[in-house]
Amino acid sequence: MENKHRTTGELTVIASDISIEGKIEVRHELHLFGKITGEVRCLEGSILILKEGSLVDGKIEAETLIVEGFAKGEIHATKRLWITSRGKVAGLVKTPGLQVDPGAVFDARVSI
């Protein structure tokens, strides 16, 4: 997979000092530097990028998910999941497209 990602034109950023418990629904592009415990649901055409130092502990549903931080739980990426060299993923993963860069931590049961 290529190293570039598609941007949707609108961007939401959750800063590193923000912690959220509950459910988040994303309509465009989300860059997460903070922490979410719960569920992140990205609508069709959206992209979720977990930046270095971020954490999602729970369920993630996304078309495209790029992990530079830590995703823990149930992950369903309908197009692709890319775990960069700094990223960590643990849990259950379902995706048709998977890229795990050298140096990434990947401890998951995968369904492709």
Side-chain angles (χ1 to χ4, degrees):
M1 290 186 195
E2 62 190 33
N3 287 344
K4 294 181 180 179
H5 65 274
R6 171 181 62 87
T7 59
T8 59
E10 292 190 37
L11 173 66
T12 300
V13 176
I14 297 177
S16 61
D17 61 342
I18 302 294
S19 293
I20 298 171
E21 290 187 31
K23 183 176 180 179
I24 302 255
E25 189 171 277
V26 179
R27 296 191 186 286
H28 301 288
E29 184 170 345
L30 172 62
H31 291 210
L32 176 68
F33 292 87
K35 295 174 179 37
I36 297 175
T37 302
E39 183 176 344
V40 180
R41 182 172 175 260
C42 300
L43 301 178
E44 187 175 339
S46 299
I47 185 168
L48 174 59
I49 303 174
L50 304 184
K51 297 301 217 170
E52 191 169 2
S54 67
L55 168 67
V56 174
D57 187 355
K59 184 176 183 179
I60 299 173
E61 294 180 34
E63 195 169 87
T64 300
L65 172 60
I66 300 171
V67 180
E68 298 171 1
F70 186 18
K72 178 181 173 185
E74 184 180 335
I75 298 165
H76 184 202
T78 59
K79 283 195 176 176
R80 78 179 225 181
L81 168 61
W82 173 21
I83 307 163
T84 70
S85 61
R86 295 173 301 231
K88 297 179 210 173
V89 170
L92 302 172
V93 172
K94 183 176 181 182
T95 185
L98 176 63
Q99 176 179 334
V100 181
D101 288 354
V105 175
F106 187 60
D107 182 17
R109 189 170 55 178
V110 181
S111 175
I112 295 180

